[in-house]
Amino acid sequence: MTPGLLGGIALAGALVLSLLGLALAVLAHTLRDGRYLEAARRTSLLSLVAAATSFGALEWAILTDDFSVAYVANHSASVNPLWVKLVTPWAALEGSILLWALLQTLYTWLVSLRVGRSLDFWRAPSALATLFLVQVFFFAVMVFVAHPFDRVPNPPAEGLGTNPLLQNHWMMAVHPVLMYLGFVGLSVPFAYAVAAMLARRYQSWIHETRWWTLVAWGFLTAAIFTGKWWSYEILGWGGYWAWDPVENASLIPWLLATAFLHTAQVQERKGLFKGWNFAFITLAFAATVFGTFLTRSGVIQSVHAFASGPVGAWFLAFLLGVLALGLGLLARVFGDIREAGEVRWKSREGALLAGALFFGTFAFVVVVGTLWPLVVELLSGAKVSVGAPFFNQVSAPLGVFMLLLMGIGPLLPWRQAREEVLKNLAAMLTALGVGMLIGLGLGLSLGVSLAIGLFAYNLTAVVLMVAQGVKERSRALGIPPSQALLDLAASHRRRFGSHIVHLGVALAALSIAFSQTYRYTEQKTLQIGEVWQTRGLEVRLLGLTAREEANRFAALAPIQVRATSRDGWGADGRYETRLNFYPQMSSPLATPVVRYTLYNDYYFVLMQFDQERGQWATLKIIVTPMVLWLWVAGALIVLGTVYILWPSGARLPNRQAVPSASD
Amino acid sequence: MKPKYLLGLLVVGAALAYLIFGGLGQNLVYFITPSEYFQQAERYQNRPVRLGGLVKAGSLDYNPKTLELRFVVTDGVKEIPVRSSGATPPALFGENRGVVVEGRFQDGVFVSQNLLVKHSESYQAPKEGWTPEQVRKLIEEAE
């Protein structure tokens, strides 16, 4: 048996099993027969096994350099290092869809384990049916239009190699998997929502769905931050976010899932916003499909590219199907879930709704900006792109509004604001003002000073909330404040986790404001041995050498850097800037070296070198403040999410003993 | 709905529309080939443009002293001289290779601030006698 054959059979098997699972789940739903449900449950495990076999076969083909498989011939090479071979399955379209489908079967199986526990028999069949339907789509795409095991009639002796951008950094082993775990993870909340609407049980789904969404959201957040980091380390322009359609495709579902996480809290506690929750989660899942459609169909380069590949049409049809299913059901049940009362804006639920609406608006703006080139091309035939300035211009005011709301929202009590909120708000606004004044006093720009103020404002809010809870508890139980803090942190995971996440967001905003405002770029051609004095730095070009590596050829320009003033703090050291030449690429890849410090990042890029005599090299230096804190912020957000999700074991018995203002 | 809310909604909606559509109008970057430029040259003056084409063979000239990179972008029919100082590693340019440069026109020369790196896995050089449409397709696919 060859890997290609095994993979193909397993793939067809996975499609058949997904169809079978779908049929069984539909029967279980219509006949209300538990036996069909049990059979569907078992089918999910079989489809997971089939998908894993298929994926394993692809790995097998890549590891054994089986170039009779077209995917391996086109996207791998025998000289690739082992780790590159291991990650090659998601280096191109067909393999990515296979990974996606594999993770989908994994999530379906995990959901099948919940049947009979949190997933009652009214909702389980339709939830499983929805997930099987998604599986059918992905396996059908592979079997019919993007087969990962297509054969090459005359296998070449060597493959074409993996996309060098992926080979150039190990992050590519991690980032796509996190992204798919997040994207695919959003299918579960969608399935729960569909099941809830079909069963007309509008409350019981929300608790566990919030949990699933948080899992997917955590992966998505990690994926977005690792993607930023990859682009920073690899692309050589010193930035981390370019509002590229591929980046937007990951941001849109993240924003919508964030909106859902906020309104879901209200439904969990107060039973409100059912309609919003169904809408947000449908849109979030649809956005993952939309993103894949955008990036995989080529439609963003040109509307005319859409017709060239069949994958785009499949994804568009699937996207419309998801939207029709989710929103159609919502329209049907809308009469049932209409809310009687009115929501006060100056309350916790009001702030949560406002926050969710903000995220929804932001998502809408990103969608409009991403799709606008298509609209213009359809209307006038002109090819345009929407520049990053548009997105920056729109997201700045939205970001300020969000940061303001993020501070005050969690301090507001449910139902109606009380007097003491004003005292807290006054303290926070003072912090905002003081932060801004300090920034302006240091001669920083207005925007950056505002960012400092907003960070102080949010920090104050979290400190106030934690301090009030601790004070009440330590007074009521007569225990020391440190003990009270530990107790509260252990018993109010959601609360404390969200504090960590919110602080991470505020820190990210601060880092973005600094790094976008104060970037310093300079370049110069140096002869070997020449010393270059630039802002706070002394750079000496030590030499110029070439190196042959297994899968590439590198030109190296080692430099010695010394700090000469405070502006160059922490930059001392010897660095090796390089250009990597890959045989499958017509031009080299600039590979920057980055020196991270607590304040400035020093980013050195080899731009060009004397290819004839090896006498000179052109170097670029980019000094950006506070970029490191963006990665810290990302880590904080993910940590906060893990903190909320971490299984808590036995609940503390006195959880409800002390009514606390902070909860 | 109370008139108070309706008014608030209108204000928020108007602000949003202003933010979006005002911003879109100003930040639209046209993507053109040299031939398209000469059809409507005045339309593309003094605004950011993305110019796509191929680096003409023999036109690439990098001055390591001034860091200035000059080359000619062609689509097989028309040509435009490009001057680039800085942002992109000149090593990434190659003759007969598809490029997309972002910048502005100044006195008949395209001054580029930025090269949009187009790394294609399956790049092929254009053949003799290709039409601009074919060249454009090549460039788009290289994106």
Side-chain angles (χ1 to χ4, degrees):
Chain A
M1 170 147 326
T2 64
L5 186 63
L6 174 67
I9 292 172
L11 201 61
L15 175 59
V16 170
L17 284 166
S18 306
L19 281 166
L20 179 67
L22 175 62
L24 288 167
V26 168
L27 281 175
H29 179 76
T30 44
L31 303 179
R32 293 268 156 244
D33 188 331
R35 287 171 301 177
Y36 290 115
L37 180 60
E38 182 55 27
R41 234 167 61 84
R42 293 181 185 196
T43 313
S44 74
L45 179 60
L46 290 178
S47 70
L48 169 62
V49 170
T53 309
S54 189
F55 189 81
L58 187 60
E59 288 278 14
W60 178 21
I62 293 165
L63 289 173
T64 55
D65 303 315
D66 183 348
F67 299 122
S68 67
V69 176
Y71 185 86
V72 185
N74 289 334
H75 306 293
S76 185
S78 57
V79 292
N80 281 354
L82 179 65
W83 77 266
V84 173
K85 287 186 181 178
L86 284 172
V87 308
T88 300
W90 52 88
L93 174 71
E94 294 84 358
S96 310
I97 300 181
L98 181 54
L99 175 64
W100 187 310
L102 170 65
L103 294 174
Q104 187 66 61
T105 57
L106 177 69
Y107 273 109
T108 309
W109 176 65
L110 289 174
V111 168
S112 79
L113 297 179
R114 309 299 301 162
V115 173
R117 294 184 205 171
S118 59
L119 198 55
D120 59 53
F121 292 102
W122 296 103
R123 294 180 294 124
S126 41
L128 282 180
T130 310
L131 291 169
F132 277 121
L133 191 63
V134 177
Q135 267 181 229
V136 167
F137 168 74
F138 281 104
F139 286 113
V141 164
M142 277 186 285
V143 168
F144 296 112
V145 293
H147 204 297
F149 297 98
D150 270 342
R151 302 192 62 76
V152 188
N154 299 307
E158 180 58 285
L160 292 176
T162 312
N163 184 349
L165 279 171
L166 308 186
Q167 288 186 48
N168 225 16
H169 200 282
W170 60 270
M171 206 24 141
M172 262 350 223
V174 182
H175 162 73
V177 180
L178 291 173
M179 191 61 86
Y180 290 139
L181 279 168
F183 272 19
V184 180
L186 284 175
S187 68
V188 180
F190 174 67
Y192 275 56
V194 166
M197 287 189 279
L198 273 175
R200 293 184 183 266
R201 303 193 158 209
Y202 307 119
Q203 186 62 25
S204 52
W205 70 295
I206 198 74
H207 178 73
E208 189 166 307
T209 304
R210 196 186 57 81
W211 190 90
W212 281 108
T213 311
L214 199 55
V215 171
W217 185 88
F219 282 124
L220 216 47
T221 309
I224 289 173
F225 275 94
T226 54
K228 285 182 186 187
W229 190 58
W230 171 82
S231 120
Y232 184 65
E233 284 243 309
I234 269 301
L235 294 183
W237 59 289
Y240 40 78
W241 189 263
W243 297 103
D244 175 275
V246 183
E247 293 167 337
N248 295 349
S250 67
L251 184 63
I252 298 164
W254 184 88
L255 288 168
L256 291 164
T258 313
F260 172 81
L261 286 173
H262 287 85
T263 44
Q265 310 261 0
V266 183
Q267 187 178 344
E268 232 181 323
R269 305 231 178 195
K270 302 280 163 198
L272 292 171
F273 302 157
K274 296 188 180 84
W276 285 112
N277 286 328
F278 287 129
F280 279 135
I281 209 61
T282 301
L283 292 176
F285 179 60
T288 66
V289 183
F290 172 71
T292 315
F293 161 70
L294 273 189
T295 52
R296 289 302 182 189
S297 67
V299 73
I300 224 60
Q301 277 95 41
S302 165
V303 261
H304 311 301
F306 175 65
S308 61
V311 176
W314 280 67
F315 270 93
L316 184 60
F318 185 55
L319 168 65
L320 295 176
V322 166
L323 284 173
L325 178 62
L327 299 181
L329 281 173
L330 179 57
R332 199 181 73 155
V333 302
F334 198 69
D336 296 0
I337 55 176
R338 191 173 308 159
E339 266 128 29
E342 212 172 74
V343 176
R344 288 192 185 82
W345 289 108
K346 281 181 272 180
S347 67
R348 180 83 64 82
E349 55 268 37
L352 284 165
L353 181 61
L357 289 176
F358 154 80
F359 284 111
T361 308
F362 201 170
F364 174 72
V365 169
V366 178
V367 170
V368 170
T370 311
L371 286 183
W372 199 247
L374 298 186
V375 176
V376 173
E377 191 182 349
L378 281 174
L379 292 181
S380 70
K383 301 262 308 158
V384 298
S385 60
V386 174
F390 162 73
F391 291 101
N392 290 338
Q393 209 169 304
V394 179
S395 49
L398 288 175
V400 170
F401 173 71
M402 178 197 79
L403 289 167
L404 283 171
L405 193 59
M406 189 175 84
I408 189 67
L411 271 161
L412 292 173
W414 296 98
R415 290 183 52 209
Q416 196 169 4
R418 284 192 292 263
E419 285 296 307
E420 66 259 28
V421 173
L422 286 179
K423 218 171 68 191
N424 288 331
L425 187 60
M428 287 155 64
L429 288 175
T430 311
L432 176 67
V434 169
M436 270 193 83
L437 285 177
I438 290 177
L440 290 172
L442 290 171
L444 300 172
S445 76
L446 187 65
V448 173
S449 306
L450 182 62
I452 298 176
L454 284 167
F455 181 73
Y457 164 90
N458 274 292
L459 190 64
T460 310
V462 168
V463 169
L464 281 175
M465 278 183 278
V466 172
Q468 278 160 8
V470 166
K471 207 160 71 188
E472 280 167 27
R473 188 180 174 85
S474 83
R475 195 181 299 149
L477 298 180
I479 53 175
S482 57
Q483 181 63 40
L485 176 65
L486 286 178
D487 285 358
L488 283 173
S491 59
H492 293 69
R493 284 170 175 278
R494 270 169 71 173
R495 189 83 185 154
F496 275 72
S498 77
H499 289 335
I500 299 174
V501 171
H502 282 181
L503 277 181
V505 172
L507 183 60
L510 186 66
S511 161
I512 290 169
F514 266 90
S515 56
Q516 294 292 331
T517 313
Y518 298 112
R519 176 173 299 157
Y520 165 78
T521 310
E522 191 66 74
Q523 55 183 341
K524 189 171 165 49
T525 301
L526 297 175
Q527 300 292 324
I528 289 176
E530 192 181 340
V531 174
W532 172 22
Q533 301 277 357
T534 179
R535 210 178 66 161
L537 298 174
E538 192 183 275
V539 181
R540 181 195 296 273
L541 179 65
L542 298 175
L544 200 57
T545 53
R547 187 187 294 163
E548 195 86 44
E549 290 170 356
N551 52 341
R552 63 191 181 194
F553 168 82
L556 306 167
I559 53 170
Q560 185 74 45
V561 179
R562 209 169 61 82
T564 52
S565 79
R566 222 177 44 183
D567 287 330
W569 180 78
D572 304 75
R574 186 179 184 278
Y575 305 98
E576 210 164 60
T577 59
R578 65 193 289 160
L579 279 167
N580 287 334
F581 294 79
Y582 287 88
Q584 62 270 42
M585 273 181 84
S586 48
S587 54
L589 270 184
T591 310
V593 266
V594 192
R595 167 75 182 191
Y596 296 93
T597 74
L598 291 180
Y599 187 63
N600 278 332
D601 269 15
Y602 305 92
Y603 196 96
F604 305 99
V605 194
L606 175 57
M607 302 286 280
Q608 178 63 300
F609 59 94
D610 183 355
Q611 296 177 343
E612 283 144 31
R613 287 167 301 137
Q615 292 300 306
W616 53 263
T618 307
L619 290 172
K620 175 150 84 173
I621 293 179
I622 304 172
V623 182
T624 323
M626 292 203 62
V627 184
L628 181 71
W629 296 98
L630 191 59
W631 319 130
V632 173
L636 269 182
I637 298 173
V638 172
L639 268 178
T641 313
V642 172
Y643 188 78
I644 299 173
L645 290 171
W646 200 263
S648 56
R651 288 209 168 149
L652 289 187
N654 52 0
R655 187 191 153 101
Q656 297 299 325
V658 186
S660 110
S662 72
D663 201 64
Chain B
M1 206 184 283
K2 287 183 191 165
K4 195 171 73 176
Y5 287 125
L6 207 61
L7 191 69
L9 217 60
L10 274 178
V11 170
V12 170
L16 199 67
Y18 172 74
L19 215 58
I20 295 180
F21 295 104
L24 275 173
Q26 286 162 21
N27 292 302
L28 229 48
V29 184
Y30 282 88
F31 179 24
I32 54 173
T33 62
S35 301
E36 284 167 326
Y37 169 70
F38 285 108
Q39 281 162 17
Q40 280 181 297
E42 69 291 343
R43 181 179 176 187
Y44 303 115
Q45 301 301 321
N46 295 318
R47 61 174 304 153
V49 170
R50 285 184 183 178
L51 179 68
L54 300 160
V55 179
K56 192 184 175 191
S59 72
L60 199 59
D61 174 36
Y62 176 60
N63 182 342
K65 291 255 157 43
T66 59
L67 306 173
E68 203 174 73
L69 182 73
R70 288 171 178 275
F71 55 91
V72 173
V73 165
T74 173
D75 58 3
V77 179
K78 298 278 185 179
E79 299 177 347
I80 292 175
V82 176
R83 198 175 74 221
S84 157
S85 46
T88 323
L92 300 193
F93 286 84
E95 300 188 338
N96 264 331
R97 207 171 283 165
V99 284
V100 179
V101 280
E102 194 168 82
R104 288 165 192 271
F105 286 98
Q106 273 174 21
D107 311 321
V109 178
F110 188 78
V111 181
S112 148
Q113 282 109 30
N114 193 11
L115 167 115
L116 305 160
V117 184
K118 298 296 152 223
H119 293 298
S120 170
E121 293 163 67
S122 49
Y123 176 75
Q124 57 168 140
K127 298 182 182 63
E128 285 291 318
W130 275 30
T131 64
E133 206 39 52
Q134 284 170 309
V135 175
R136 158 165 234 156
K137 196 154 176 288
L138 177 77
I139 299 162
E140 278 165 4
E141 277 166 5
E143 261 182 292

